[in-house]
Each structure stands twice: as C-alpha cells, then as structure tokens.
Amino acid sequence: MASIGYTLMTEQSGPTNLVRFAQQAEQVGFDFLVSSDHYFPWLDEMGHAPNAWVTLGAVAQATDTVGLMTYVTCPTFRYHPAVVAQQAATLQILSGGRFTLGLGAGESLNEHIVGSGWPGANVRQERLVEAVQIISALFDGGYVSTAGPHFPVDSVKLWDLPDTRVPIGLAVSGRQSCELFSPLAEVMVGIDPEPQLAQWWDGARENPARKVAQLPISWDTDVDAAKERAHRLFRWSVGGWKVNAELPSTAGFDAASSLATPDVVAENIPCGADVDAVVSAAKEFFDAGYTDLALVQVGDDAQDTFFDAARSELLSALRAL
C-alpha cells in the first residue's frame, strides 16, 4: 500500500494555519506530514515563511500519530549542523518518535541571508556530507569533536537524546548525490519520478530504503480557478532544480517564470477535481520506486476543499496504487 503524506507549505501559509492543517491532515487519514524549511517564499505572492522548527514543535503537540519530516532542512549555511542535531533530537522527543530529519544541500534563496557566499554544487555536497557526519555522531551520544574543513566542532554533546534514534533523509538529484549520500542516510528524498534515482540509491547500500517525493496539485471544482492559482503561486517550479537552487531572490523566480502561462504550469501540476489525473501523476513516482508521496495542495485558501476531497476519494484512490 502506498504511503501518502501532506505537505505543510511554509511558503504559502502562516504558522497558525499550518498547525490547523496538520490536525486536519491527521484527521482525514494522511500517513505523514512533511514541512518545508524556508526563510523566503519562492514568490512574493506566496506571502509567508514562518520558522519551520517552531511550527513543527507545535504540530508535534497538536497531533498524535502522524509522521513528521523536514522536507528539507539545509544544515550547512544558516544553520550549523550541531544546532540541527539538537533541534531534531528535541522534536523526536516531543513527537514521541515520529520525526524524520530530511536534509539537503540547500537553495541560494534561503541560505544567502548569512552572507557567506553560494559555492558550486560539489562544494555544497561536500559540506552536507560533513554536516551529516557530525549530526550522526551526535545522535550516537557522547562528546563529539572534529576538525573538518567546514564545521569544526569542540566538545559538543546532546543532553536530551530520544529513545528512538532520528532517521536521516537526504535529498538527491542525480547519480553523484545518490551514491554519495545513500550510505549516510536511511531515507532518500527525491524530486522527479526518475527510476534511475532509486536504482542508484539502492545500489550504494546493502538494503533498499524508504524513498519520499512530493506531488503538487491544485484541487478545485473550478478548473480555471485551479489553473490560475497554480500559475500565481507555483509558476516558480517550472525552471527545475538546477535553476531553483541558484536564484537568490523572489524577484529572480518571478523573472525566470515570467513566460510560463497557466496552461504550461498545468502541464506539470494536476489542476481541477480530477482524481484520475492525480492518480496518474502519483503512479509515475511509485513506478519509479518511491515508497512515500507527499501531496502539496496549492493555495492557503483551498485547503478545506482539498481535505474534503482527500477524505472522500483521493486517499483511497491513491492507496489503491
């Protein structure tokens, strides 16, 4: 059976609404929640960027059984890996063992704020490997000291460790990242329904792993309204990962997506109230080897309608996959 999640999209909702949406998602039957971790929204029209960790702490107390995951945190620029480890361990305790730490190499949009520059992808991946090694060592318990080139740490220790170790997920985009990150993590975080990603990931480890992806949809009984909403709030996504990781501002994403029409955006995001279209898009991910898929409902104002559809027809249709 497919595992279906719901995305707490911090770029389009304030913290109070996100906690409410988390409760609704659990009530209608979603298996897990993932939360973006942004300092900026992708576009000015999205209008939000609350702190993901504070919000997840509230979500952990407002829910009971649903899984939680960052999707994803970058532990190498605006956060130090030792701080991320402390946050993750604390959230695992507060959630009763429901948390997975999703990590990635980051986007300039969120990480440029500390003014440390934005290096190339190879350096960003090198930094991420070192950060994950520090976080894993801290999860082991005891004092940790390292002399790495990016994040030297001196006698660091987590004083509150959860009974259940925090699983680590790592975001990948190609063969190099799959083979580099797979031995370091329990979960693969992917973007595209490309079967080779799962093959490369599992080929670099002893046993197959959980694999999580996202699927944005714009659910609405009015197809034109769904397309308009998707275009207004999600046109930034048409550029793909290689573009999205490099642009440093909402103005840059607006300019990069200025020629994308509503119909172009709708080619990549199911728009309307068509269950079959959502199932077809989801099937591509499961056929590519993913085990978990988190839906992203576009638009803060369309969540209640989406939850009604999830309860009545969407979740059962997706689980049938």
Side-chain angles (χ1 to χ4, degrees), residues 8 17 22 45 58 81 89 103 147 166 192 218 224 227 229 238 246 261 267 277 305 312 319 321:
L8 300 170
N17 273 348
E45 291 95 325
L103 301 172
V166 181
D192 300 314
S218 184
D224 290 336
K227 287 184 178 181
R229 184 186 301 114
V238 299
E246 305 299 334
T261 65
E267 290 177 2
T305 301
S312 63
R319 290 206 175 99
L321 289 172

Side-chain angles (χ1 to χ4, degrees), residues 13 18 23 48 67 84 118 132 134 160 170-171 200 209 216 227 232 247 299 319:
S13 302
L18 288 169
Q23 292 175 308
H48 293 280
V84 172
W118 189 241
V132 173
I134 292 169
D160 290 277
L170 287 172
W200 289 328
K227 287 184 178 181
R232 175 166 46 87
L247 296 178
R319 290 206 175 99

Side-chain angles (χ1 to χ4, degrees), residues 244-255:
N244 294 350
E246 305 299 334
L247 296 178
S249 67
T250 55
F253 279 96
D254 186 40

Side-chain angles (χ1 to χ4, degrees), residues 91-107:
L91 187 53
Q92 184 73 313
I93 293 170
L94 290 174
S95 67
R98 292 183 279 142
F99 179 61
T100 297
L101 176 61
L103 301 172
E107 304 106 2

Side-chain angles (χ1 to χ4, degrees), residues 90-220:
T90 301
L91 187 53
Q92 184 73 313
I93 293 170
L94 290 174
S95 67
R98 292 183 279 142
F99 179 61
T100 297
L101 176 61
L103 301 172
E107 304 106 2
S108 178
L109 178 69
N110 300 297
E111 310 308 327
H112 79 276
I113 64 168
V114 294
S116 60
W118 189 241
N122 285 345
V123 174
R124 300 200 301 266
Q125 290 183 0
E126 179 183 288
R127 290 168 66 95
L128 181 57
V129 167
E130 185 178 332
V132 173
Q133 290 169 340
I134 292 169
I135 291 169
S136 295
L138 288 169
F139 287 168
D140 288 339
Y143 286 94
V144 176
S145 296
T146 69
H150 302 294
F151 308 106
V153 294
D154 180 20
S155 301
V156 183
K157 178 182 177 180
L158 296 180
W159 289 91
D160 290 277
L161 281 171
D163 294 332
T164 302
R165 184 186 177 94
V166 181
I168 294 176
L170 287 172
V172 298
S173 58
R175 183 166 191 163
Q176 176 175 299
S177 55
C178 285
E179 294 180 345
L180 185 62
F181 297 153
S182 182
L184 303 174
E186 291 77 39
V187 181
M188 185 187 96
V189 180
I191 300 171
D192 300 314
E194 297 179 0
Q196 284 185 310
L197 293 176
Q199 294 165 9
W200 289 328
W201 180 272
D202 285 341
R205 60 190 305 113
E206 293 183 0
N207 299 304
R210 179 186 176 198
K211 301 172 186 69
V212 186
Q214 278 182 323
L215 174 65
I217 68 172
S218 184
W219 186 269
D220 199 306

